[in-house]
């Protein structure tokens, strides 16, 4: 079992742009690894702050849980600074290109893939609904899952935007997340963390309320 220092949270602030609207947001940027190697989950807003958080570690990959601007807007600058690849599920290509029209992600994130960093493994779970290409990353030996904007303490991520679908996000949580061990800590893309047990206890209520 790796210790909690394997997971580091940075908070970055900026603008979320979608469909002509702009919103002030604070994002969680998760750094996972050991003293020598790391991956960044969701390069949000401030590539220099993320680079400082990495310190001297080699960045193995920038993993995007989905293509919304506030989760990928610092990805290209961080990739260029650190010479590291950007990974994104191909179903979010259209959202990605709204932010970075001249740059392609470097590799696809696909369901069932395993990412390895610092002796740890993160399994890719395709959890669409907030966006078509939303993914979660489950690190069994750390007892954590990084859910992007799929799952929060108060329920599923928002589905009022284009490319979003509420029944799909409920199915993603039901099929891929609530069967994880109950003590698994859920680290989302914004705000505080929760547990799988807590989510499982409320899932039917969320499904019936419709958001």
């Amino acid at each position: 079992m790796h210790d909690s220092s394997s997971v580091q949270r940075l908070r970055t602030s900026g603008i979320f742009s979608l469909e002509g609207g702009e919103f002030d947001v604070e994002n969680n940027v998760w750094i996972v690894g050991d003293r020598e190697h790391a991956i960044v989950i969701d390069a949000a807003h401030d590539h220099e702050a993320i680079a400082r958080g990495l310190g001297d570690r080699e960045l193995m990959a920038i993993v995007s849980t989905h293509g919304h601007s506030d989760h990928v807007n610092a990805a290209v600058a961080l990739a260029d600074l650190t010479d590291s690849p950007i990974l994104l599920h191909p179903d979010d290509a259209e959202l990605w290109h709204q932010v970075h029209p001249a740059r392609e992600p470097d590799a696809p994130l696909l369901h069932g893939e395993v990412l390895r960093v610092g002796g740890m493994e993160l399994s890719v779970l395709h959890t669409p609904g907030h966006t078509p290409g939303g993914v979660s990353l489950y690190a069994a030996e750390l007892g954590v899952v990084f859910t992007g904007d799929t799952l929060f303490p108060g329920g599923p991520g928002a589905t009022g935007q284009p490319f979003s679908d509420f029944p799909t996000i409920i199915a993603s949580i039901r099929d891929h997340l609530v069967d994880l061990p109950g003590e698994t800590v859920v680290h989302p893309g914004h705000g505080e963390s929760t547990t799988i047990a807590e989510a499982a206890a409320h899932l039917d209520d969320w499904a019936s309320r419709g958001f």
Side-chain angles (χ1 to χ4, degrees):
M1 188 72 157
H2 294 265
D3 61 34
S4 59
S5 64
S6 303
V7 178
Q8 174 186 354
R9 175 171 72 167
L10 299 178
R11 287 177 167 146
T12 59
S13 300
I15 302 293
F16 170 40
S17 304
L18 187 70
E19 299 296 304
E22 293 196 337
F23 313 90
D24 292 318
V25 288
E26 184 176 77
N27 286 63
N28 294 329
V29 179
W30 299 99
I31 301 175
V32 184
D34 58 15
R35 292 178 179 176
E36 296 178 2
H37 304 94
I39 64 169
V40 163
I41 299 172
D42 289 340
H45 307 305
D46 188 342
H47 73 283
E48 292 177 342
I50 300 169
R52 286 194 297 271
L54 283 164
D56 295 332
R57 289 175 288 183
E58 181 183 358
L59 182 57
M60 308 303 292
I62 299 163
V63 182
S64 303
T65 60
H66 62 292
H68 277 157
S69 68
D70 59 320
H71 292 256
V72 302
N73 55 11
V76 169
L78 184 63
D80 290 346
L81 182 67
T82 58
D83 193 27
S84 54
I86 299 166
L87 313 184
L88 178 78
H89 193 283
D91 287 356
D92 270 10
E94 188 171 344
L95 284 165
W96 166 270
H97 287 130
Q98 292 177 10
V99 187
H100 300 296
R103 171 75 175 262
E104 297 295 328
D106 297 290
L109 278 175
L110 300 174
H111 184 79
E113 252 189 302
V114 176
L115 307 178
R116 293 178 176 86
V117 61
M120 291 165 273
E121 295 188 345
L122 290 90
S123 300
V124 179
L125 306 172
H126 183 207
T127 51
H130 181 68
T131 66
V135 301
S136 299
L137 301 151
Y138 175 49
E141 60 195 305
L142 297 179
V144 301
V145 61
F146 302 92
T147 55
D149 287 2
T150 296
L151 178 60
F152 296 97
T159 53
Q161 315 101 323
F163 303 101
S164 300
D165 184 73
F166 181 74
T168 301
I169 204 170
I170 289 293
S172 291
I173 296 169
R174 198 181 296 282
D175 294 346
H176 298 304
L177 296 179
V178 295
D179 285 342
L180 298 176
E183 66 274 14
T184 303
V185 177
V186 175
H187 288 323
H190 308 269
E192 299 308 315
S193 300
T194 183
T195 64
I196 289 296
E198 185 74 12
H202 291 97
L203 182 58
D204 288 341
D205 294 338
W206 299 336
S208 59
R209 83 185 182 191
F211 64 91

